[in-house]
């Protein structure tokens, strides 16, 4: 997934829940969405499975900025102290999602090209980025192809 923000995390959560639910069903285990929503990690631990055991690679969120820059909390910060607390809360939210729903995050990456085979999108080429004076800058020569069976792009906005 390409994007960022709380909506992107919710999309990844649902994607992982549905993918794991289907893989568990193939192994003879029935779990409803609410059971998996509590924590995919706990369900798999209880069963003694990993994502690899289920044949699930897992989802990855590629974000062009740093994790602490991801808008995960609507809290406003008008002082440096409040801003530091907001950033800490945002990282905690992301870590809780990653721990419960078993997806990955690759900060400082932006898509720069597509990978197409037989007329079908099969991946993206990502380039590493860095922040220079608060602006995202691409790092030349850092392109990495990433193949994926599903690609979701999230273009956010501030309401």
């Amino acid at each position: 997934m390409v994007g960022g923000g709380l909506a992107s995390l919710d999309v990844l959560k649902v994607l992982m829940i549905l993918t794991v639910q289907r893989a568990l069903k193939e192994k003879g285990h029935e779990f409803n969405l609410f059971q998996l929503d509590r924590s995919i990690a706990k369900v798999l631990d209880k069963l003694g499975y990993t994502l690899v055991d289920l044949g699930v690679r897992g989802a990855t969120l590629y974000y062009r900025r740093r994790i602490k820059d991801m808008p995960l909390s609507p809290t406003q910060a008008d002082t440096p102290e409040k801003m530091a607390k907001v950033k800490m809360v945002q990282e905690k939210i992301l870590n809780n999602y990653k721990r419960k729903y078993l997806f990955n995050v690759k900060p400082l990456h932006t898509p720069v090209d597509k990978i197409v085979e037989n007329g079908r999108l099969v991946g993206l080429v990502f380039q590493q980025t860095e922040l220079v004076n608060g602006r995202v800058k691409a790092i030349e020569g850092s392109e990495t192809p990433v193949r994926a069976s599903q690609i979701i792009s999230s273009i956010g906005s501030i309401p």
Side-chain angles (χ1 to χ4, degrees):
M1 173 158 194
V2 181
L6 202 51
S8 295
L9 295 186
D10 285 335
V11 169
L12 282 174
K13 174 179 101 169
V14 171
L15 177 64
M16 288 300 296
I17 287 171
L18 294 173
T19 302
V20 169
Q21 182 185 40
R22 182 175 52 242
L24 286 171
K25 187 172 186 172
E26 289 173 5
K27 293 223 178 249
H29 302 284
E30 292 283 339
F31 284 90
N32 65 44
L33 299 177
F34 300 109
Q35 292 167 308
L36 292 169
D37 185 39
R38 287 187 197 110
S39 175
I40 291 171
K42 287 181 181 178
V43 169
L44 295 185
D45 283 346
K46 184 186 280 189
L47 295 170
Y49 288 136
T50 65
L51 290 179
V52 173
D53 297 330
L54 297 178
V56 173
R57 188 170 80 180
T60 301
L61 171 66
Y62 288 85
Y63 187 58
R64 64 189 176 101
R65 295 182 174 273
R66 301 169 301 188
I67 288 172
K68 68 182 182 179
D69 300 320
M70 196 178 293
L72 299 177
S73 171
T75 306
Q76 298 296 318
D78 53 5
T79 67
E81 294 80 19
K82 285 182 183 177
M83 179 58 78
K85 187 171 184 172
V86 166
K87 298 295 182 189
M88 187 176 71
V89 167
Q90 290 180 172
E91 285 191 53
K92 185 175 183 177
I93 290 169
L94 178 61
N95 288 332
N96 285 340
Y97 267 77
K98 285 172 45 181
R99 187 182 71 252
K100 287 175 68 173
Y101 305 112
L102 304 176
F103 61 80
N104 302 300
V105 177
K106 291 273 191 178
L108 298 170
H109 281 77
T110 191
V112 294
D113 203 357
K114 60 191 177 302
I115 303 169
V116 177
E117 293 176 357
N118 300 318
R120 186 171 179 270
L121 181 65
V122 296
L124 296 173
V125 177
F126 286 91
Q127 186 173 41
Q128 290 182 347
T129 62
E130 62 183 342
L131 289 181
V132 178
N133 297 323
R135 304 201 43 95
V136 175
K137 180 182 175 212
I139 298 173
E140 294 301 319
S142 66
E143 295 82 4
T144 304
V146 177
R147 299 178 69 80
S149 60
Q150 295 180 18
I151 298 168
I152 301 169
S153 180
S154 171
I155 300 171
S157 64
I158 298 171

